[in-house]
Amino acid sequence: MSWAWFHKLGSPKWFFSWSKPWALPLFCFGCLSLLIGLVWGLVFAPADYQQGNSFRIIYIHVPVAMLAQSCYLALGAAGFVFLVWQMKMAPVFIKAMAPIGAVMSLVALVSGAIWGKPTWGTWWVWDARLTSVLVLFFLYMGIIALQNSLEDQVLANKAAAVISVVGLINLPVIKYSVVLLETLHQGPTFTLTKKPEMPAEMWLPLLFAVIGLYCFVAGVVLWRMQSEILMSEHRSSWVKQEVTKHGF
Amino acid sequence: MQSSASLTISDLWIERGERDLCKGLSFSVQPGEVVRILGENGAGKSSLLKIIAGVLSPLEGKILYSGEDVTLDRTSLQQDAIYLGHSVGVKGLLTVAENLRWYCPDISISILYSVLTQLDLIDLVDVLVKKLSAGQARRVALARLWLTKKTLWLLDEPFASLDVGGVALLEERIQQHVLLGGLVILTTHQDLMSITPHDVVLLS
Amino acid sequence: MTYSSFFVSEFLVLWRRKQDVFNALLFFIIVVALFPIGINSSPDFLAPAAAGIVWCAAVLAILMAVESIFKEDYLDGSLEQLVVSGLSLPLLILLKVAAQWLVVVLPLLVIIPLLSEMLYLPSSGFWVLIMTLIVGTPSLFFIGVIGAALTVSIKQGAMLVMLLILPFYLPVIIFSTLAVKATQSGLPYSGLLAMLLAMSLLSLVISPFMTAIVVKASVN
């Protein structure tokens, strides 16, 4: 297998022209699949026999919670790639991805709270999952705050990469410790880990929503990266060509 | 001191904050040479010295020290070099003697005192550096040039905030070092009195 | 410059700044005092919460002390001199953290008996608390020093360091307080101590290298 594509990722120009045709289709497909999943899940799927209609929020909560974690995984991986191979696209990716991850974890927190009210009777429970998403949210906010306050671009890139990698190493430990905290305390009586078997008409829309959200986010990230590339490479001739050809 | 040391810069490309400072810069320094880097403000004189010292990395190009390629790992160059930047690196909370002992732990008391006498610092030997003036603090940093036996000197504006006597003293010391086969690269806006340097001009 | 001359000069500087160390200690005590005053001063509340209170205060005091570890060196140019010294930068950072740890944590340990008395900590939990502090605080320093390096070029960086680093401190707090609680209810705690030790060792291995990367990028 050739590694040329991997090394080409270091070149903003190559990445730009490679990713250009991907962003829009990914975005559109994502929107469509997300729409199908949500409408199917929120309107047509059967109600849960235990929780009634309130369970329907999983069609929002589960996809965003998955995204919130996957985004951080991707951030850590990008940080590692940058520290080892100095790949120029990695910090651009981190910069594009961090706010999305923050929004995802915030939505996961809010939807979790909304779900918690009818299920547990309170808006907030120090449940291991909720707590670790809260920590995740703080990790994202830390990266964003750090990038905003460092003026030197080279330093900001290194800093974001380092903190992402350190976060990725720490995330399993944080997760483990939070689970430990919960098991030693009095745990909630209803846990999400032991879900009853779902019928297909319940999990299929979930699958649509999850895949849709992943594609949607991928499309948005590619767009954000492309505009970031145009900004940072504005001096080079190919960017000038690109902008005059297609407009901004 | 290695008298055979030499420094070769080839095809160096310096970028700073998305601005190209210089591209394709090449020069070499032989034993006994003083190289003065000239250029306008912001032309990249300090960045060039920092790159040689290993604080920064060049975008492209090679740095050879005594024939060895040190572009990726500057350790062997650093062990034989002394770099003095804009902030001179003396700690305000240490006394003059403690600062020098930190940099040059193996130096004997008598040598230390004789150097400090030369530099007019002997009365301040036990005074905290934060109580000294800018010129005096710079003299403390420059005292390292008398105390160490490093070959390559990278001096960024070494004459700044020195008085006339200090400038003459430093020039004399640079002369001495070069006569023994040392290498000196410096940036300065002042005219040098007694030294005839090779000039490297950075164009912006 | 040699490793030993660097270590000695670090201690000298810390000795000249003993007021800062003393301030960190006072800060630690006053944060501890906030809990009985602000929440509840009855032994029923304080005895089970004591370890958590001590750890929260310790985390804050340590982070305040570590946050500025590179500030002065950055301003006077000695951080740059460390980078060009030809010595191993990660090792120099390790030495610097070790010196700071000794100077901050030892006084803190000395004051613990007094505080545990004030918080009605049962004697069974006292030694475990001391052990968690000895085993757990190195990881606080090693993680915190990364944050200090990241923000060294920012003028008002203290708040940012708090935001960046405190989430990473949660596991240390959790393991430590659980260990003390485990002894108070007669359960084994060695597994939790082992976790703390593992975290300290892991951060000892990773942090100097990460910090060195950031320090090199900061001094330019």
Side-chain angles (χ1 to χ4, degrees):
Chain A
M1 186 183 152
S2 156
W3 282 90
W5 64 272
F6 190 69
H7 294 292
K8 276 185 186 156
L9 280 178
S11 145
K13 187 187 171 184
W14 186 86
F15 182 84
F16 188 86
S17 51
W18 173 84
S19 67
K20 196 108 207 280
W22 282 97
L24 191 65
L26 269 174
F27 181 77
C28 292
F29 173 76
C31 282
L32 190 70
S33 172
L34 192 59
L35 201 69
I36 294 174
L38 286 184
V39 171
W40 189 357
L42 295 182
V43 182
F44 298 111
D48 186 75
Y49 72 99
Q50 264 185 332
Q51 298 183 46
N53 278 324
S54 69
F55 100 99
R56 287 182 197 279
I57 203 163
I58 65 163
Y59 296 111
I60 296 167
H61 180 76
V62 170
V64 290
M66 284 174 79
L67 238 302
Q69 296 185 15
S70 310
C71 283
Y72 207 90
L73 207 67
L75 280 194
F80 184 77
V81 165
F82 182 64
L83 292 185
V84 176
W85 290 288
Q86 309 287 320
M87 195 161 289
K88 253 186 159 179
M89 280 300 96
V92 177
F93 176 76
I94 294 178
K95 205 171 175 190
M97 190 62 126
I100 296 178
V103 170
M104 288 300 152
S105 44
L106 190 63
V107 174
L109 283 177
V110 172
S111 60
I114 294 173
W115 193 3
K117 185 63 183 170
T119 328
W120 295 326
T122 56
W123 294 104
W124 184 263
V125 172
W126 289 96
D127 154 77
R129 283 161 178 243
L130 277 179
T131 312
S132 55
V133 175
L134 181 66
V135 176
L136 201 59
F137 174 69
F138 279 117
L139 292 181
Y140 281 123
M141 291 318 282
I143 296 178
I144 296 170
L146 185 66
Q147 272 185 331
N148 287 343
S149 31
L150 291 171
E151 272 157 28
D152 182 275
Q153 203 49 49
V154 180
L155 176 59
N157 289 346
K158 276 249 165 80
V162 164
I163 199 77
S164 311
V165 170
V166 172
L168 190 64
I169 298 169
N170 258 284
L171 216 52
V173 185
I174 294 175
K175 192 119 195 186
Y176 172 73
S177 70
V178 175
V179 170
L180 202 63
L181 182 70
E182 191 198 34
T183 48
L184 288 205
H185 285 239
Q186 185 60 33
T189 40
F190 174 81
T191 56
L192 299 176
T193 35
K194 276 193 191 149
K195 243 173 271 165
E197 285 281 313
M198 271 186 173
E201 54 268 37
M202 276 169 106
W203 63 256
L204 258 178
L206 188 59
L207 192 67
F208 269 98
V210 169
I211 293 173
L213 194 62
Y214 269 89
C215 294
F216 171 80
V217 165
V220 172
V221 166
L222 284 183
W223 258 331
R224 286 177 56 94
M225 286 176 77
Q226 285 164 7
S227 60
E228 180 70 28
I229 291 170
L230 288 183
M231 299 275 262
S232 62
E233 305 277 315
H234 66 276
R235 291 174 308 151
S236 57
S237 54
W238 70 268
V239 169
K240 282 175 191 148
Q241 266 179 20
E242 188 74 29
V243 173
T244 45
K245 203 164 56 185
H246 301 289
F248 198 70
Chain B
M1 190 188 297
Q2 273 175 270
S3 57
S4 62
S6 70
L7 180 75
T8 309
I9 306 286
S10 62
D11 222 10
L12 206 66
W13 181 2
I14 308 179
E15 192 196 53
R16 199 83 160 84
E18 310 205 337
R19 229 159 42 83
D20 289 334
L21 294 178
C22 65
K23 234 171 173 175
L25 176 74
S26 302
F27 65 92
S28 74
V29 192
Q30 300 305 323
E33 256 186 333
V34 177
V35 166
R36 176 170 56 170
I37 300 163
L38 296 175
E40 297 163 20
N41 288 337
K45 301 185 291 289
S46 299
S47 298
L48 177 59
L49 281 187
K50 283 183 181 184
I51 282 186
I52 298 171
V55 180
L56 297 174
S57 300
L59 213 57
E60 272 173 29
K62 268 195 176 153
I63 301 167
L64 299 171
Y65 187 64
S66 302
E68 186 194 345
D69 187 348
V70 292
T71 318
L72 290 179
D73 182 7
R74 231 60 60 82
T75 312
S76 65
L77 179 148
Q78 284 169 344
Q79 280 164 353
D80 201 29
I82 190 164
Y83 164 78
L84 292 180
H86 277 280
S87 359
V88 286
V90 289
K91 297 189 182 212
L93 285 174
L94 296 184
T95 65
V96 173
E98 284 163 355
N99 260 304
L100 293 171
R101 218 155 256 302
W102 165 39
Y103 283 113
C104 319
D106 306 324
I107 217 74
S108 72
I109 292 272
S110 58
I111 295 176
L112 181 66
Y113 277 42
S114 76
V115 168
L116 289 178
T117 318
Q118 255 185 320
L119 283 168
D120 240 351
L121 289 169
I122 193 69
D123 299 330
L124 305 169
V125 76
D126 286 324
V127 177
L128 293 186
V129 168
K130 67 173 178 186
K131 292 183 180 150
L132 304 184
S133 73
Q136 285 169 326
R138 187 163 278 271
R139 278 171 189 248
V140 176
L142 289 170
R144 288 171 61 196
L145 299 178
W146 275 261
L147 294 171
T148 44
K149 295 193 166 53
K150 307 276 174 101
T151 314
L152 175 64
W153 292 3
L154 305 164
L155 310 175
D156 196 357
E157 300 285 347
F159 301 107
S161 62
L162 283 186
D163 55 16
V164 183
V167 172
L169 213 59
L170 180 56
E171 283 202 20
E172 190 194 318
R173 176 64 191 144
I174 291 175
Q175 285 281 19
Q176 258 177 21
H177 180 63
V178 171
L179 281 177
L180 288 169
L183 281 62
V184 179
I185 304 178
L186 54 85
T187 68
T188 181
H189 288 292
Q190 276 172 296
D191 289 324
L192 299 175
M193 302 297 174
S194 57
I195 306 172
T196 43
H198 296 254
D199 286 342
V200 171
V201 182
L202 297 182
L203 301 167
S204 41
Chain C
M1 199 189 302
T2 61
Y3 293 112
S4 59
S5 77
F6 170 74
F7 198 53
V8 170
S9 77
E10 279 302 309
F11 266 114
L12 268 173
V13 170
L14 285 170
W15 174 247
R16 300 261 154 79
R17 296 181 55 176
K18 46 191 177 294
Q19 184 63 47
D20 289 2
V21 174
F22 194 62
N23 289 351
L25 198 63
L26 286 177
F27 177 74
F28 172 67
I29 297 170
I30 203 154
V31 172
V32 167
L34 287 181
F35 286 84
I37 295 168
I39 305 174
N40 190 340
S41 56
S42 76
D44 297 338
F45 164 73
L46 286 176
I53 293 171
V54 167
W55 260 95
C56 286
V59 156
L60 291 176
I62 286 171
L63 199 49
M64 289 297 257
V66 176
E67 177 265 320
S68 58
I69 190 168
F70 294 122
K71 264 277 139 66
E72 220 155 290
D73 293 3
Y74 174 75
L75 293 175
D76 67 19
S78 36
L79 201 57
E80 201 174 40
Q81 289 295 332
L82 298 187
V83 173
V84 301
S85 63
L87 303 175
S88 148
L89 188 57
L91 194 51
L92 290 173
I93 289 168
L94 185 69
L95 289 175
K96 199 175 174 69
V97 174
Q100 184 97 3
W101 183 79
L102 283 173
V103 170
V104 173
V105 170
L106 289 185
L108 213 135
L109 289 178
V110 171
I111 205 82
I112 291 290
L114 181 69
L115 290 178
S116 58
E117 206 55 41
M118 285 162 74
L119 295 173
Y120 312 107
L121 180 74
S123 55
S124 62
F126 174 75
W127 288 109
V128 184
L129 177 62
I130 295 279
M131 270 193 278
T132 58
L133 281 169
I134 294 174
V135 178
T137 48
S139 70
L140 299 186
F141 278 79
F142 282 117
I143 298 170
V145 82
I146 301 177
L150 285 170
T151 56
V152 73
S153 59
I154 302 171
K155 279 213 174 64
Q156 303 291 328
M159 203 55 94
L160 186 58
V161 176
M162 294 277 169
L163 175 61
L164 274 180
I165 297 304
L166 276 178
F168 295 127
Y169 281 0
L170 293 184
V172 184
I173 300 178
I174 291 174
F175 292 141
S176 308
T177 49
L178 286 185
V180 178
K181 275 183 196 147
T183 34
Q184 285 174 352
S185 45
L187 295 167
Y189 57 86
S190 52
L192 291 159
L193 278 186
M195 279 304 294
L196 283 176
L197 187 64
M199 278 199 75
S200 286
L201 291 177
L202 184 71
S203 55
L204 179 139
V205 174
I206 294 172
S207 154
F209 292 97
M210 290 291 177
T211 313
I213 291 174
V214 183
V215 163
K216 268 188 114 169
S218 296
V219 293
N220 55 37

